[in-house]
Amino acid sequence: MLTSRSHRTDGGQKLPVEVFYPRAYVLSKLVRNLTVKGAVFGAFVGFAHASYMHSSGQRPERGAAALRAVAAETAMWSLSGALAGLTGSLSYAFIGGPAGAMAGLAGAGLVGGGTFASLPSIAAMPQHLGAKTQTALGYTPPAPRSLYVPVRYDSDIKEEAPPPAPQYNGPWNDRVVFLGMNPGPTAKASRSMAQHADVTIISPSLAPDRIRVGGASYNLRSSDGLASFVGTLNLSPAQARGVKRAFEMCEKGARDELAGLAQIWARGEKGAKIPSRLVLAGHSNGDGVWGDDNGSLRLGPLLQLSRTLPHATAQIEDAFVTGCYSGGEVTMDQYLLIFPRAKTIWAYEAQAPGVDNGATIDQSGWERATRGRDARFVPRTSAAAKKKMAVWSYQTGYHATESPLDLNGLRGKVNWMENNFLRPALAGEDYTYDGQWRIPIRITDPHTGPIRQYYSWLVRLSQRKDMPEDERALWVEKKHQTIRLLYYGATVAPRFSREYGAEIRRAHAKLGLPAPDFARLNRAQALKAIDKFTAKLEKTPKATAQLQQVGDLLQRGLHDLNPSVIPDGWV
């Protein structure tokens, strides 16, 4: 029995009165009151949280679906609050006193916190159960609509709309495939990431474009070697043809990295659970990734491989392309075609940090941020070097620095910089004039200076989605030429001389000209030597095919800086 003391009045005099209540009655009232108050408080918190998430655009539901989601979340939070109140009141009732009060608060906190933490899993249970039931019955549900609907990618293949991607219902995992185009940085970065995640490394082979499977080595540059390697993947004839087509599209030098990826994706296509996260690391300009003295793994071959093995790429939910200018709206569309079920894609809007000045830190941060199914974290700049990020999330869409200029303004700025910076630099001049001042434009560092500034604005212009496609192709061509000009003295001319030096010396000897060492000449001197060779060649009657080929090589290579002669791996 419990007592309750009150006061009553008798003839103006207060008399103390004690009323006795059964203990069960008092405790049941306490439990009921705290349970109801916990439910009300939980419902209020749940409704406020759900309303904020939907109003701020952090949840994908819209319209009636959003109202249902808010109601469901409010109900779950209310249930959690009720359980916390029930646990706390029962703990107090059975123990009693100050110790009972402390035990009640602790019990309420543990139950409430545990329930709140498990709310995402509880909310996802109906969807997972429904998906498993549909899969067991042989039904494939339609693909969910994305906030971002890509329709095009690079110039290798064109299509009006992507085919529907296969549905993948999990289980997802946090394993990572780290594909790096430079062996040293790949080893360092992947070793750091492997301290916290299960990492599969794909790096350049010791022999370019060769891969070992079991005890056999396959030459991916020969048709027979390529066909034999594709045969080891045990795919259907149609899939084998598609994979072979991807290798034929791939630039030589990058086929060993593509082969490592094909091995993993082939297993995923046949039902294996492959890593859900992917890092593509190397130099970049938005068209793919490449390495020093290595080939370029462009987006076209990756898309061809993805189209051929769609059940594999449907398992990839997070991707990070770590290279300069690897982001941009147009490029992000291309990534979404390659990885149609992605929940996040990270890239760099402009220059990216190197492995020794922040890239490893950024990659480790990405690994932490993309664990699980959460896609709300959107970094604006890199963690260490504060480089600008370009990030896409299925919940909130594309995020990057807003351009200060519209399309016409960008065209005007880039055209002005082309006339005043690019053209004089292509001609080998060290200075330009704006009518009053002499401006130095000589490239002493590929990462700084007026030509680098022009290149950055040019890349931004080429990423405008409101630009006509035929015009974009012209700017992309200038982009490839400009990056080769930036690295002309540092790597392009020395690699060109090393690759074609013997042919150049023989051709000059046949024309009676001294052979120039293009690795040592500055651009103005090189252009003068090319013009001298061309003039002599034109005056030579019945010039041999070998002489004509060297003339064409010099013109398209060092003079025009054409990517067909100067590969990405030389910059």
Side-chain angles (χ1 to χ4, degrees), residues 260-332:
L261 197 61
Q263 288 178 314
I264 296 173
W265 287 5
R267 293 196 296 269
E269 185 67 18
K270 292 180 288 187
K273 308 303 179 185
I274 63 174
S276 297
R277 298 188 289 175
L278 174 67
V279 177
L280 297 175
H283 305 301
S284 180
N285 60 5
D287 297 332
V289 290
W290 68 83
D292 298 326
D293 294 330
N294 196 5
S296 178
L297 185 57
R298 291 182 173 270
L299 301 184
L302 286 175
L303 180 58
Q304 173 65 25
L305 193 63
S306 174
R307 288 286 184 264
T308 305
L309 308 173
H311 292 86
T313 51
Q315 299 186 40
I316 298 175
E317 61 173 355
D318 299 290
F320 189 10
V321 186
T322 65
C324 297
Y325 307 96
S326 56
E329 285 190 275
V330 174
T331 300
M332 198 64 71

Side-chain angles (χ1 to χ4, degrees), residues 217-509:
S217 176
Y218 299 95
N219 181 6
L220 301 175
R221 295 187 180 183
S222 70
S223 58
D224 291 340
L226 179 57
S228 298
F229 166 72
V230 173
T232 66
L233 302 178
N234 297 318
L235 298 170
S236 68
Q239 290 173 327
R241 288 192 297 270
V243 172
K244 187 176 180 182
R245 169 62 178 152
F247 279 93
E248 291 170 349
M249 293 169 59
C250 184
E251 181 179 303
K252 292 180 179 179
R255 294 183 177 181
D256 48 320
E257 292 87 352
L258 185 63
L261 197 61
Q263 288 178 314
I264 296 173
W265 287 5
R267 293 196 296 269
E269 185 67 18
K270 292 180 288 187
K273 308 303 179 185
I274 63 174
S276 297
R277 298 188 289 175
L278 174 67
V279 177
L280 297 175
H283 305 301
S284 180
N285 60 5
D287 297 332
V289 290
W290 68 83
D292 298 326
D293 294 330
N294 196 5
S296 178
L297 185 57
R298 291 182 173 270
L299 301 184
L302 286 175
L303 180 58
Q304 173 65 25
L305 193 63
S306 174
R307 288 286 184 264
T308 305
L309 308 173
H311 292 86
T313 51
Q315 299 186 40
I316 298 175
E317 61 173 355
D318 299 290
F320 189 10
V321 186
T322 65
C324 297
Y325 307 96
S326 56
E329 285 190 275
V330 174
T331 300
M332 198 64 71
D333 276 355
Q334 301 169 9
Y335 296 150
L336 288 168
L337 289 170
I338 299 171
F339 311 116
R341 295 294 183 192
K343 67 178 177 65
T344 66
I345 299 177
W346 290 23
Y348 289 97
E349 183 180 342
Q351 288 181 274
V355 69
D356 294 321
N357 65 351
T360 302
I361 296 175
D362 289 352
Q363 291 159 6
S364 297
W366 168 83
E367 190 280 320
R368 289 192 300 271
T370 56
R371 294 172 187 169
R373 298 291 295 155
D374 192 6
R376 289 173 294 177
F377 179 63
V378 178
R380 302 294 181 177
T381 58
S382 62
K386 300 303 178 184
K387 301 295 185 180
K388 294 179 181 179
M389 303 291 294
V391 177
W392 179 88
S393 163
Y394 84 97
Q395 292 183 333
T396 56
Y398 179 74
H399 300 268
T401 305
E402 185 176 352
S403 175
L405 301 173
D406 60 12
L407 178 59
N408 288 328
L410 273 174
R411 282 195 189 105
K413 185 177 185 67
V414 171
N415 277 320
W416 184 90
M417 298 180 79
E418 179 181 340
N419 292 329
N420 290 275
F421 295 159
L422 178 67
R423 292 182 180 177
L426 281 172
E429 299 178 17
D430 292 337
Y431 298 92
T432 188
Y433 300 87
D434 67 349
Q436 182 178 3
W437 306 101
R438 189 175 74 162
I439 304 173
I441 58 172
R442 184 180 179 182
I443 300 170
T444 57
D445 179 4
H447 303 95
T448 60
I451 307 303
R452 170 59 74 168
Q453 294 177 22
Y454 164 77
Y455 179 74
S456 296
W457 284 104
L458 177 61
V459 172
R460 183 184 286 271
L461 175 61
S462 68
Q463 290 290 333
R464 292 288 302 213
K465 294 187 71 173
D466 52 352
M467 176 185 292
E469 287 296 317
D470 54 349
E471 180 187 355
R472 189 189 318 281
L474 299 176
W475 294 117
V476 169
E477 184 179 345
K478 290 184 182 296
K479 178 183 73 172
H480 288 297
Q481 183 186 48
T482 305
I483 192 65
R484 284 155 177 78
L485 176 63
L486 282 167
Y487 285 89
Y488 179 86
T491 58
V492 170
R495 280 301 309 271
F496 182 90
S497 182
R498 189 171 71 192
E499 186 77 14
Y500 301 110
E503 294 91 334
I504 291 172
R505 286 190 292 272
R506 285 195 296 268
H508 279 76

Side-chain angles (χ1 to χ4, degrees), residues 138-151:
Y139 169 71
T140 301
R145 291 183 61 84
S146 170
L147 297 177
Y148 208 87
V149 183
V151 295

Side-chain angles (χ1 to χ4, degrees), residues 6-39:
S6 64
H7 293 85
R8 295 182 180 178
T9 303
D10 183 12
Q13 185 178 4
K14 292 184 176 180
L15 300 176
V17 178
E18 289 187 350
V19 181
F20 292 88
Y21 295 101
R23 180 181 179 86
Y25 170 78
V26 175
L27 293 181
S28 64
K29 188 175 181 179
L30 173 68
V31 171
R32 183 180 70 250
N33 289 341
L34 289 180
T35 301
V36 172
K37 290 179 180 179

